[in-house]
Amino acid sequence: MAKAGGRETAAAEEVVLWREEARRFETPDGEAYLQYRLLAAAQPRSSSSSGDGGATTPAAVMEMAHTYVPGSKRGRGLAARLCDAAFAHARRRGMRILPTCSYISETYLPRNPEWNELVITEKEPKPSSM
C-alpha cells in the first residue's frame, strides 16, 4: 500500500537536474547521478561544407564516466532517465559522447540505439582530457 508521501517521492525522482559545476546529472536529493567529464574536441560530426570556405568547428566531447543509483532506488528506470537527460543535453549542444561507464555502453545504448549517432566509434581518434 503506497502512502501519499511515497507518490511525491516517486514523482520527485523523475526529475533529473543538470549540475554543471559538479559535471553531473542527478536526482534532486543527489543520491543517484551520472558523472561526466568534458574532453578536448573530437572530429566534426558532419563532413559537409558550409560553402563559406571556413573550417568546421570540432564537436565537444562528453565522456560519460559513471552512473550510480543506490540500492534503495534501483529497478525504477532511474539510471536510464539520467542517461536520457545527459544524451539529450549533448544532442542539444552538438556534443559527441564517449561512454566509458559500463552501464551506458553495455546496457543503455543497446536498448536505446537512437543515441548511437552521438557516440564516438572505435575508428575515430579519442580526445584528450581537458
Side-chain angles (χ1 to χ4, degrees):
M1 185 181 289
K3 296 179 184 177
R7 280 178 279 184
E8 290 171 19
T9 301
E13 288 174 355
E14 292 179 13
V15 174
V16 174
L17 305 173
W18 175 41
R19 290 198 42 230
E20 183 175 12
E21 73 285 354
R23 295 189 176 178
R24 288 170 41 138
F25 290 86
E26 63 183 32
T27 54
D29 61 12
E31 290 183 8
Y33 60 88
L34 183 153
Q35 188 77 46
Y36 68 90
R37 288 188 281 268
L38 296 178
L39 305 177
Q43 295 299 315
R45 284 182 50 193
S46 173
S47 60
S48 63
S49 64
S50 59
D52 64 3
T56 306
T57 304
V61 176
M62 178 186 286
E63 176 191 0
M64 294 187 183
H66 184 63
T67 305
Y68 176 74
V69 176
S72 63
K73 295 184 178 190
R74 291 185 184 159
R76 302 180 191 176
L78 193 50
R81 286 198 301 275
L82 291 165
C83 291
D84 290 343
F87 273 81
H89 173 89
R91 177 175 278 161
R92 284 190 305 271
R93 286 163 177 74
M95 302 173 90
R96 301 295 305 275
I97 301 294
L98 178 61
T100 55
C101 167
S102 61
Y103 167 77
I104 294 171
S105 60
E106 297 170 13
T107 304
Y108 181 78
L109 283 170
R111 292 178 184 172
N112 298 276
E114 67 273 16
W115 295 115
N116 286 337
E117 68 185 38
L118 300 180
V119 176
I120 293 177
T121 66
E122 291 184 19
K123 296 176 186 176
E124 297 176 72
K126 301 296 184 254
S128 59
S129 189
M130 292 177 106

